Amino acid sequence: MGGCFSKPKPVEVKVEVVLPEKEREKEEMSPNGKASPLAYKANGTTRLYHHEERPIVLNPYTNPKDVVEASVCHVKDLENGQMREVDLGCGKALLVKQNGEYYAMGHKCPHYGAPLVKGVLSKGRVRCPWHGACFNIATGDIEDFPGLDGLPKFQVKIEKERVYIRASKQALQSQRRTKIMAKCIALSNYSTAITNILIIGAGPAGLVCAETLRQEGFSDRIVMCTSEKNLPYDRSKLSKSMDSQAEQIFLRSKEFFHTYDIEVLTETQVVSVDTKNKIVVFKDGFRMEYNKLLIATGSTPKTLKCKGKELDNVFTIRTPEDANKVVRLASSKNAVIVGASFLGMEVAAYLCEKAHSVSVVELENIPFKKFLGEKVGLAIMKMFENNRVKFYMQTEVSELREQEGKLKEVVLKSGKVLRADVCVIGIGACPTTGFLKQTGVALDSRGYIPVNKMMQTNVPGVFAAGDVITFPLAFRNNKKVNVPHWQMAHMQGRIAALNMLAQGTEINTVPYLWTAMFGKSLRYAGHGEGFDDVIIQGDIDELKFVAFYTRNDEVIAVASMNYDPIVSKVAEIMASGKMIRKRDVENFVCHGKTGDISWLTGKGS
């Protein structure tokens, strides 16, 4: 069986949990606010660890040379609900004032470095203007995704009506903070064929599940397995940054997994699950027992059904190696993209400056029509055409022709023949759940795993997250949906972990996605399935607009280009449970207001 790490040898029991004082106090509070011991199971036996057993670390600023303290403003310079980026001389911080209190933290989102001062402040957290990640202003912890790390937190004091910030120079430079995690206890004579937590899949759902377990103090064995050869990586970059090598887009380093005792078995495929006896069987025949199971296997790209689909230079972009090969084959050659999906369009945009020609074949008449509407789809299509991309719409591929064993032409049902040296298929995906048939885990008619708000399947002890599930989406009246977004997979992995620890936490997040093409970013929040109208503010031809997607009298999604941070503002309103009504948006458009939409709900953010 393949593996990033070899199977561990039995070692003695060891518990090592080190938490700063404030973190320790916060994490030891139960939901009712009273301190309680952490409880979790090791091989079915409940183990309790009281905080007295944990070593305490001293003040994090133990090295005076690593500390900077600076006066950053007068107390009257900031009103309640305001944020300011301040310079401490050796780095910047974000200063926030809310409910009369001051807070200081890292000023850049750890995900892609967005300036948080341009984000949205609401009810004790700040939301990133680019991709919607949320951070608690009191602790710096990440509360909604994407990304894995929180923000460094700095000390604030008031003296003589001046605001001072005291910070670690190292933290100012790094602008990120990995939450304190437990390490593994390995029991004597622990069999390599037994694990407490088994995670099938090493995407964002699986990784965040493993990290959350460690963050919450879980110190038993965690095993992640993946059919791929790489450690968990940022799959969203495969179509946006196709030249990236696998190591450049790893979400965590090999050392990270070693440090926190998260075992990753690569090139390891699960072929069956015995949920009654809690055993999984791998392709090579190896069997592993588990106590709790997370299924986060993601999706499998759909392929063409025509002649020539098996040719070597026909790709579905699934791995970094796939993306790298496509770029090499497309250089100064002819590339054909089948499917105007997000993946297909991102690939087309990326190859434009590298390939001799780029053609997109699509069954619909307008790209993204079902997702973004006709007007937005046409505007994006025009942007592509202005960048030399040729569209062949309302047609399909009938044949892929070869010459000397290599793809030479793509034949369309319309009769058109396209020269092609490389072809990328981006016509959607289906859930990777075939191995679950006859396991007792319920699947719907499309192969998705229905789960509840706690990511629990119909089988006790079996959880699922990511692209493979349908779940109740709170802000759409608990409608069962499949949301294959990068951000959503992170959150579902976290929710699954918390409920493996019996914390009874329900998912309540708003879907948030983004795409980047020709240097233009499109942001989207909500779930627009079934929209019946689109209300647009701004200049759509200039790609500076916000589009509200409505169903009946309610806004159910929003998209924008060059209109930050409006998508993050709408996401915060949706997350709060408030409804944005269609008539209010129509007034917003008629008034020509921009930037601030807090008046839509009658309250500021």
Side-chain angles (χ1 to χ4, degrees), residues 44-56:
T45 303
T46 301
R47 307 173 63 88
L48 297 177
Y49 297 102
H50 293 268
H51 70 271
E52 299 91 66
E53 298 175 69
R54 297 179 179 179
I56 302 173

Side-chain angles (χ1 to χ4, degrees), residues 473-506:
L473 185 59
F475 96 97
R476 289 294 305 271
N477 298 315
N478 296 321
K479 178 181 179 180
K480 280 270 191 176
V481 298
N482 170 253
V483 183
H485 299 173
W486 187 249
Q487 164 258 359
M488 188 59 75
H490 285 69
M491 181 58 81
Q492 290 165 350
R494 176 168 175 77
I495 296 297
L498 295 176
N499 290 307
M500 286 178 174
L501 301 175
Q503 294 193 16
T505 306
E506 296 185 346

